[in-house]
C-alpha cells in the first residue's frame, strides 16, 4: 500500500506559490478499481470508477496539515483499490493518491475517504 503526494501535485503547489495558477474553489475525491501501486509519477487513478467525483470537505487540522474528506457511494457492485484527490470534477491534476487492499462493494455501499497532507 502506498500514499503519495504526486509529482503533479507538488508542481501544482509550486505554481500556486509563484502565481502561475490559482487554487481551485473545490477539490474532488475519486476512486479506482484497477490494480497497481501508487507512484509519484502517477497522473490518474488505476481505472477510475464510473461514479462522479465528490466535492471534498477541506480543513486544516493543524498548522502544517491540509485534510480532504469525501464519501463516494457505489452505483453498482465493484472492488475499489485506490483513490485520489483532484483539482477538478473531471480532468484536473491528481494531487494525492492512495492504493489499498481491494474493498468489495455492493450497490449503494459507500466509503468515506480522508486524505491528510502533512507539510514537514
Amino acid at each position: 500500500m502506498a500514499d503519495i503526494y504526486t509529482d503533479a501535485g507538488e508542481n501544482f503547489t509550486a505554481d500556486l506559490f509563484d502565481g502561475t495558477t490559482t487554487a481551485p474553489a473545490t477539490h474532488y475525491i475519486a476512486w479506482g478499481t484497477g490494480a497497481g501501486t501508487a507512484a509519484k509519477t502517477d497522473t490518474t487513478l488505476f481505472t477510475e470508477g464510473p461514479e462522479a467525483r465528490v466535492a471534498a470537505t477541506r480543513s486544516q487540522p493543524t498548522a502544517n496539515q491540509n485534510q480532504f474528506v469525501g464519501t463516494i457511494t457505489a452505483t453498482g457492485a465493484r472492488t475499489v483499490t485506490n483513490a485520489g484527490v483532484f483539482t477538478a470534477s473531471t480532468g484536473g491534476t491528481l494531487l494525492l493518491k492512495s492504493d489499498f487492499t481491494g474493498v468489495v462493494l455492493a450497490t449503494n455501499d459507500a466509503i468515506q475517504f480522508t486524505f491528510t497532507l502533512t507539510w514537514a
Side-chain angles (χ1 to χ4, degrees):
M1 294 192 310
D3 298 313
I4 302 294
Y5 180 29
T6 66
D7 288 341
E10 290 178 359
N11 294 340
F12 184 86
T13 302
D15 289 344
L16 286 174
F17 285 119
D18 69 19
T20 57
T21 193
T22 57
T26 304
H27 288 84
Y28 294 87
I29 296 175
W31 63 21
T33 59
T37 301
K40 292 275 298 165
T41 56
D42 288 350
T43 58
T44 62
L45 296 177
F46 309 123
T47 315
E48 188 167 335
E51 292 78 11
R53 295 176 183 176
V54 297
T57 300
R58 298 180 293 193
S59 64
Q60 189 175 5
T62 66
N64 69 331
Q65 290 183 327
N66 295 103
Q67 190 168 79
F68 308 88
V69 178
T71 301
I72 303 175
T73 302
T75 58
R78 70 190 84 266
T79 300
V80 176
T81 58
N82 61 113
V85 176
F86 290 85
T87 60
S89 60
T90 60
T93 301
L94 175 63
L95 303 173
L96 306 170
K97 183 176 182 180
S98 292
D99 67 75
F100 41 86
T101 302
V103 178
V104 178
L105 302 175
T107 302
N108 295 321
D109 284 349
I111 299 175
Q112 181 181 66
F113 295 97
T114 300
F115 290 85
T116 304
L117 176 61
T118 301
W119 302 88

